[in-house]
Amino acid sequence: MAAENSKQFWKRSAKLPGSIQPVYGAQHPPLDPRLTKNFIKERSKVNAIPLKNKKASSFHEFARNTSDAWDIGDDEEEDFSSPSFQTLNSKVALATAAQVLENHSKLRLKPERSQSTTSDVPASYKVIKSSSDAQLSRNSSDTCLRNTLHKQQSLPLRPIIPLVARISDQNASGAPPMTVREKTRLEKFRQLLSSHNTDLDELRKCSWPGVPREVRPVTWRLLSGYLPANTERRKLTLQRKREEYFGFIEQYYDSRNEEHHQDTYRQIHIDIPRTNPLIPLFQQPLVQEIFERILFIWAIRHPASGYVQGINDLVTPFFVVFLSEYVEEDVENFDVTNLSQDMLRSIEADSFWCMSKLLDGIQDNYTFAQPGIQKKVKWRKEILDEEDFQGLLMLLQNLPTIHWGNEEIGLLLAEAYRLKYMFADAPNHYRR
Amino acid sequence: MAKQYDVLFRLLLIGDSGVGKTCLLCRFTDNEFHSSHISTIGVDFKMKTIEVDGIKVRIQIWDTAGQERYQTITKQYYRRAQGIFLVYDISSERSYQHIMKWVSDVDEYAPEGVQKILIGNKADEEQKRQVGREQGQQLAKEYGMDFYETSACTNLNIKESFTRLTELVLQAHRKELDGVRTRASNEMALAELEEDESKPEGPANSSKTCWC
């Protein structure tokens, strides 16, 4: 009877553990038939442009193209102790990856919902490929476009969508109506934030799945350690810290042209136009000046590190989040000249302090010889050396339970309970 | 499945921050030019297979961050390079002056016999030029390097310079292979030849015997 039951049970969950399912991540949410229809219409309007995947057509191809990346690196530390095991593993992993991708691309071929999720991104981003193609053919003849006007149309070297998506997330407009769960969460945040002494541990816990947009700026200020937990002290602290920052500016900013700061200032200057080059917000002189001041002041106050490429990108999220306190609509295209001097100063000072707090914890990524990075690389190498790592990753990306609903979970629970009950008097059966 | 190349090796792009290393690379591998790249953090790479003298050469091109702080990390890649592009920006005298420093780094960290080539990039920016073409030629001559003025933007001399460095690396290793082999050949870290028996006879295949 029991055996029969469990047989049935396992039959019901048609997806066998480890079977290959399409990957649904943030970029590839489950298909929604309601949206599919609209999207097809929309696509045909855009004139069926071969979207982004034209080049790196598949992971399989990518894997094939790069599988020899380390071939000639006859590293001394290479481990040949278990070559057969490793080859077997990578073969299996590759085959699995190929299958995943095949399934995946089949799905994508049809409705391409993954593209439609970026619908809150301005239209220019959607047709990026085509416009840059067109631009390229022109470029290759003689016209060189090095001005900001065209920046929006060119492709970034690295994927920029996550950033865009994050910024869109800052936009109040166009956000879907809140679910009950989201409302409850927001309420919980509001409660925590307004209590006399905010419980930071609790706030941190609540923040783990993401901070609601409405309370994000204040939550970030609190969790970064910039703002005190005590509500009464907050206003004064903010005021004092903002004054302190502008005191630094007064004191040090003029020194940017002095000989001993030349290298720092030059490097910042090179990197500012390269910060989020595709987002209009960051091409505005006022915004670039803010970044320049923040980075310069931080750099000269932290001589062990100074300004290091990449730190510029750490200002961005803070800047966007604090800007969002004053901007209702599309943050990416917002013209900051619409803000008062006071608002801009608050955004700048808060971005500076929060970025400083963040960097306090990761400064060894930026000091001489970058020990922080080296340590992390070593740690990752160790992970990758573990044989089961790839398999584990595959499993996590394709959890066999991904489509489970209440029914399946209920069944599993019932089954577990039944087994537990059955062996309640014979706990030794659990061992081994 | 047969490998799609006969020989595989590494080229490295070095030079000051902002001289256009990433742009050169993207123009060469993808034939694309974007005026605004984000700065390279640490090291990145792209691959391309080209045919030189009937040999299919798979080149991995390593792109590096130009800022000095990253050099502890980027220098770790010199050791494994067979060819190095030293890149300056013709509109930046400073980046040209620094070539000296880059060359000495190469001497210190790259393997002996590494092939070098000097690149003056952004040749399209004639109005902003600070470094004369002759200056580039002169410097290249001093160091015994080939020299190209390139523009990733107008696609000037991109293919030519990459092909040239590839040829130089091939030549350098041929010479060594023809001479007395005092070192183990795999120390040259050059060839990864395919094990495909069914492949028809050809220059690539015949070289297999000595390049393994």
Side-chain angles (χ1 to χ4, degrees), chain A residues 146-159:
Chain A
R146 281 223 171 93
N147 56 45
T148 44
L149 246 178
H150 294 271
K151 275 183 180 163
Q152 277 163 264
Q153 295 181 345
S154 60
L155 262 184
L157 183 58
R158 282 158 213 249

Side-chain angles (χ1 to χ4, degrees), chain A residues 144 146, chain B residues 89-92 121-130 150-151 153-154:
Chain A
C144 273
R146 281 223 171 93
Chain B
D89 167 2
I90 65 141
S91 67
S92 157
N121 193 32
K122 305 195 188 174
D124 56 282
E125 301 215 314
E126 200 53 57
Q127 328 85 303
K128 294 194 202 157
R129 184 188 279 275
Q130 288 183 2
T150 61
S151 165
C153 183
T154 60

Side-chain angles (χ1 to χ4, degrees), chain A residues 319-344:
Chain A
F319 181 80
V320 170
V321 165
F322 298 140
L323 176 65
S324 74
E325 281 186 294
Y326 306 102
V327 180
E328 283 293 303
E329 67 282 15
D330 182 11
V331 178
E332 283 167 44
N333 293 296
F334 182 75
D335 179 358
V336 292
T337 53
N338 292 326
L339 294 180
S340 74
Q341 190 68 19
D342 261 7
M343 291 169 178
L344 282 171

Side-chain angles (χ1 to χ4, degrees), chain A residues 64-65 68-70 75 136 144 146 155 157-158 263 266-267 274 305 307 309 366 370 374, chain B residues 1 5 10 17 22 26 33-34 37-38 47 58 60 67 69-70 73 76 80 94 124-125 153:
Chain A
R64 211 179 56 217
N65 280 335
D68 50 9
W70 300 98
D75 287 26
L136 269 171
C144 273
R146 281 223 171 93
L155 262 184
L157 183 58
R158 282 158 213 249
D263 280 343
R266 183 183 303 106
Q267 190 64 60
R274 303 200 271 184
S305 144
Y307 172 71
Q309 294 190 298
Y366 302 102
Q370 305 186 290
Q374 310 242 28
Chain B
M1 189 183 59
Y5 55 88
R10 283 206 184 99
S17 183
T22 306
C26 287
F33 177 76
H34 310 298
H37 280 287
I38 68 168
M47 313 255 248
R58 176 84 152 148
Q60 275 173 28
Q67 198 191 1
R69 183 56 46 84
Y70 283 100
I73 288 171
Q76 296 172 10
R80 307 206 210 139
R94 188 188 149 83
D124 56 282
E125 301 215 314
C153 183

Side-chain angles (χ1 to χ4, degrees), chain B:
Chain B
M1 189 183 59
K3 276 192 182 173
Q4 285 145 4
Y5 55 88
D6 306 313
V7 147
L8 167 73
F9 55 69
R10 283 206 184 99
L11 306 181
L12 190 70
L13 283 154
I14 58 174
D16 275 12
S17 183
V19 297
K21 298 180 289 295
T22 306
C23 286
L24 286 172
L25 181 56
C26 287
R27 175 57 93 183
F28 176 64
T29 58
D30 306 329
N31 197 22
E32 284 178 1
F33 177 76
H34 310 298
S35 53
S36 40
H37 280 287
I38 68 168
S39 53
T40 306
I41 310 294
V43 181
D44 202 353
F45 80 93
K46 281 180 176 280
M47 313 255 248
K48 187 164 172 130
T49 307
I50 58 173
E51 202 167 311
V52 178
D53 299 334
I55 301 173
K56 280 190 206 128
V57 187
R58 176 84 152 148
I59 45 181
Q60 275 173 28
I61 308 139
W62 292 78
D63 185 19
T64 61
Q67 198 191 1
E68 199 166 342
R69 183 56 46 84
Y70 283 100
Q71 282 171 27
T72 320
I73 288 171
T74 54
K75 275 172 187 165
Q76 296 172 10
Y77 291 80
Y78 288 26
R79 187 169 60 86
R80 307 206 210 139
Q82 281 87 40
I84 295 181
F85 294 96
L86 293 128
V87 189
Y88 69 87
D89 167 2
I90 65 141
S91 67
S92 157
E93 164 83 24
R94 188 188 149 83
S95 72
Y96 170 78
Q97 296 295 349
H98 281 172
I99 290 294
M100 220 188 332
K101 183 201 77 89
W102 290 108
V103 170
S104 74
D105 281 352
V106 168
D107 290 345
E108 191 171 343
Y109 297 100
E112 219 173 297
V114 68
Q115 298 299 303
K116 288 166 288 189
I117 198 167
L118 183 66
I119 302 284
N121 193 32
K122 305 195 188 174
D124 56 282
E125 301 215 314
E126 200 53 57
Q127 328 85 303
K128 294 194 202 157
R129 184 188 279 275
Q130 288 183 2
V131 184
R133 168 185 270 280
E134 328 70 52
Q135 284 176 277
Q137 275 163 342
Q138 172 92 34
L139 189 67
K141 204 174 154 197
E142 252 171 65
Y143 289 120
M145 294 189 260
D146 279 20
F147 171 65
Y148 287 91
E149 277 202 350
T150 61
S151 165
C153 183
T154 60
N155 205 358
L156 172 74
N157 279 339
I158 303 295
K159 199 174 165 218
E160 288 80 354
S161 51
F162 277 85
T163 309
R164 181 61 188 146
L165 187 56
T166 308
E167 282 169 0
L168 287 170
V169 172
L170 282 172
Q171 276 170 22
H173 287 274
R174 269 204 183 129
K175 244 183 272 161
E176 276 183 76
L177 288 157
D178 290 341
V180 189
R181 275 204 257 170
T182 48
R183 302 188 288 167
S185 57
N186 61 354
E187 198 182 313
M188 292 183 287
L190 184 72
E192 259 284 316
L193 291 170
E194 57 184 308
E195 303 294 328
D196 189 2
E197 303 292 336
S198 63
K199 205 170 164 266
E201 286 295 315
N205 219 21
S206 56
S207 66
K208 183 179 173 178
T209 40
C210 49
W211 286 41
C212 51

